[in-house]
Amino acid sequence: MKEINILILSDSIGDTGERIAQAALAQFDIAKDDVDLNVIGNIRNIDQLSSALSLALDLENVLIYYSFVNESLIEHLESFCMQNNISHVDILTPAIKAIEELTNIKPYTNPGALRKLDEQYYKRIEAIEFAVRYDDGKDPAGILRADLVIIGISRTSKTPLSMYLANKGYKVCNIPLVPESPVPKELFEINPARIIGLTNSPEKLYSIRRERLKSMGVKSELSYSDLSRILEELDYAEKIMKKIGCPIINVSQAAIEETAEKIIRYQKKLSL
């Protein structure tokens, strides 16, 4: 069988289109080695789209899956594909039209212009990508670029809180505080109001960490779940937070949504 070349083109990260393509391929007896699947994301203008589409001209058996919110990008892609006889699939428009036909409710934009460029949409996507890139102290440089920096010891909900806030459009970097690791100097170079310290009760952390080790098939006798170790970490983190001068939130009795809303209210109050 000839090789199949699939291009996933998107104005975000392209993961939805990739999953749909993979799901479709799973219905056929086609070897993985016979499929070349490429994802090109963050396409925001005609030049970027033209560059991506040019790749298709050098390939055979090409299929393009695409998802854009900008009508001019959609029109350009469809015109290009028709002129060059390239198969293409819009993964969003049919779903919108189906809802419109079922409910008789018009979408927010007129037919033929279903995807108006939405700044809030892009802001949210960028924030999510930022949170993933700078999760768990992967790169302290993110501290200087973040809207918010979340610090705390392990199992204080730093990552889920970061992702929740990212969905609200905040670029969040989270940094773990570990007694044996130096504190990133960048934490002392930004406004403390942009930093949120998270803490938890020793009992809650003890329970969470034991369950975490159990789920991983690791013996719970490790210092990670030892109560004296937890108290040491909490004391260390509190000293760092007080030195920075940032607000501290105890998450022991709060849901992620509650903590996030508290942070958002605090940030809005600062901007008044």
Side-chain angles (χ1 to χ4, degrees):
M1 175 179 286
K2 293 182 179 180
E3 185 179 66
I4 298 174
N5 293 285
I6 299 179
L7 292 179
I8 311 295
L9 306 183
S10 174
D11 53 18
S12 58
I13 59 177
D15 58 338
T16 299
E18 184 176 9
R19 287 197 297 269
I20 290 174
Q22 294 285 14
L25 286 168
Q27 302 304 312
F28 298 88
D29 185 17
I30 301 176
K32 289 184 178 180
D33 291 341
D34 291 325
V35 179
D36 187 12
L37 193 153
N38 289 287
V39 180
I40 304 176
N42 296 309
I43 298 173
R44 305 292 170 81
N45 56 55
I46 296 297
D47 288 341
Q48 291 174 332
L49 177 57
S50 296
S51 177
L53 289 172
S54 66
L55 299 176
L57 297 177
D58 299 324
L59 302 172
E60 295 182 355
N61 298 326
V62 183
L63 172 60
I64 297 177
Y65 285 85
Y66 63 95
S67 175
F68 296 114
V69 297
N70 188 317
E71 179 62 21
S72 63
L73 294 182
I74 298 171
E75 291 177 354
H76 183 82
L77 183 148
E78 292 178 344
S79 175
F80 176 92
C81 289
M82 286 187 286
Q83 289 175 13
N84 293 281
N85 195 29
I86 295 175
S87 298
H88 53 288
V89 180
D90 185 334
I91 64 175
L92 184 59
T93 300
I96 294 175
K97 287 185 176 180
I99 295 175
E100 180 184 2
E101 292 172 0
L102 180 66
T103 63
N104 290 320
I105 299 174
K106 292 290 183 183
Y108 288 118
T109 53
N110 296 323
L114 291 174
R115 302 186 196 92
K116 183 179 179 182
L117 188 61
D118 187 335
E119 291 183 2
Q120 288 302 114
Y121 167 81
Y122 283 139
K123 183 179 180 181
R124 183 171 63 85
I125 294 299
E126 289 174 0
I128 292 172
E129 292 174 346
F130 187 94
V132 171
R133 179 176 180 181
Y134 296 107
D135 178 47
D136 203 32
K138 290 176 183 174
D139 184 357
I143 294 172
L144 303 178
R145 298 178 52 211
D147 297 321
L148 288 168
V149 179
I150 294 175
I151 60 176
I153 67 173
S154 175
R155 302 291 108 185
T156 49
S157 303
K158 296 186 300 298
T159 294
L161 182 57
S162 295
M163 295 308 299
Y164 185 93
L165 288 166
N167 271 281
K168 297 290 185 180
Y170 291 90
K171 291 183 178 179
V172 185
C173 169
N174 76 75
I175 303 292
L177 297 179
V178 183
E180 292 77 17
S181 300
V183 179
K185 60 182 178 57
E186 290 86 353
L187 284 176
F188 300 96
E189 298 175 2
I190 64 173
N191 187 339
R194 286 168 51 197
I195 303 174
I196 302 294
L198 300 183
T199 189
N200 206 333
S201 71
E203 297 78 15
K204 187 73 175 289
L205 283 169
Y206 177 74
S207 175
I208 292 174
R209 290 189 178 187
R210 285 180 65 88
E211 287 301 315
R212 171 66 172 165
L213 292 177
K214 184 178 179 180
S215 69
M216 296 171 63
V218 180
K219 292 184 177 180
S220 59
E221 286 78 10
L222 294 177
S223 62
Y224 176 76
S225 63
D226 183 77
L227 188 56
S228 61
R229 168 64 181 185
I230 291 172
L231 291 170
E232 177 189 349
E233 289 184 38
L234 285 171
D235 181 62
Y236 170 78
E238 184 179 358
K239 289 178 180 177
I240 296 297
M241 293 172 192
K242 288 183 176 179
K243 183 177 180 180
I244 292 172
C246 65
I248 303 173
I249 299 176
N250 190 315
V251 300
S252 60
Q253 300 297 325
I256 296 296
E257 296 82 356
E258 294 177 84
T259 304
E261 290 306 315
K262 186 180 295 185
I263 292 172
I264 291 171
R265 286 196 302 270
Y266 172 73
Q267 292 299 311
K268 287 181 176 179
K269 187 182 296 184
L270 289 176
S271 63
L272 293 177

